[in-house]
């Protein structure tokens, strides 16, 4: 009986050894899968970091664009005010010229009237 038990024990030991080897191989495969998953997570983290950096840069660009837009709006308002002032200045000059022309016409009429009066006065004195 001892001779039969020994082959069974050997077979049992072989089976246990084989099971241990398979378990070890399974554990190594799991470790490899976990390592690959960790590497992928690390890469995802790096990509996420790059995306966040890009988003931050984009936000800064949008802020700069908004500031530039506000500056351009302010400049446009200043240019409109300047244009209004130039138009107002031109209108004032035209009005001044018109008033001077009317004043000259009135002075000319008064001068003519005074010359006519002098002529009449001279005529009266002659008579």
């Amino acid at each position: 009986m001892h001779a039969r038990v020994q082959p069974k024990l050997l077979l049992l030991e072989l089976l246990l050894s084989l099971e241990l080897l398979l378990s070890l191989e399974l554990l190594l495969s799991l470790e490899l899968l976990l390592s690959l998953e960790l590497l992928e997570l690390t890469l995802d983290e790096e990509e996420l970091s790059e995306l966040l950096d890009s988003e931050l840069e984009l936000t800064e660009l949008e802020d700069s664009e908004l500031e530039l837009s506000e500056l351009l709006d302010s400049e446009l308002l200043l240019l409109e005010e300047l244009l209004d002032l130039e138009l107002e200045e031109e209108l004032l000059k035209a009005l001044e010229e018109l008033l001077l022309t009317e004043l000259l016409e009135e002075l000319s009429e008064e001068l003519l009237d005074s010359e006519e009066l002098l002529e009449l006065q001279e005529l009266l004195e002659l008579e």
Side-chain angles (χ1 to χ4, degrees), residues 22 29 37 83 90 109:
L22 287 174
S29 295
E37 192 68 30
L83 182 61
E90 287 181 29
E109 287 176 10

Side-chain angles (χ1 to χ4, degrees), residues 43-108:
L43 290 175
D44 287 346
E45 185 179 319
E46 288 175 6
E47 288 175 359
L48 182 61
S49 177
E50 289 174 6
L51 282 174
L52 287 174
D53 289 345
S54 296
E55 187 175 334
L56 180 62
E57 289 175 9
L58 182 61
T59 302
E60 290 173 355
L61 284 174
E62 288 172 348
D63 290 346
S64 296
E65 182 182 358
L66 182 62
E67 289 175 9
L68 182 60
S69 176
E70 290 172 354
L71 284 174
L72 288 173
D73 288 345
S74 296
E75 187 176 350
L76 182 61
L77 285 174
L78 287 173
L79 285 173
E80 287 175 354
E81 288 179 19
L82 181 62
L83 182 61
D84 288 346
L85 287 174
E86 288 176 354
L87 287 174
E88 193 174 305
E89 183 181 356
E90 287 181 29
L91 285 173
L92 286 173
K93 284 181 181 177
L95 182 61
E96 182 182 16
E97 287 178 21
L98 183 63
L99 289 173
L100 284 174
T101 303
E102 286 181 12
L103 182 61
L104 283 174
E105 286 176 1
E106 285 180 25
L107 286 174
S108 295

Side-chain angles (χ1 to χ4, degrees), residues 2 16 20 26 48 58 75 89 92 102 120 125-126:
H2 190 323
L16 283 174
L20 281 174
L26 183 62
L48 182 61
L58 182 61
E75 187 176 350
E89 183 181 356
L92 286 173
E102 286 181 12
L120 279 176
E125 285 179 4
L126 286 176

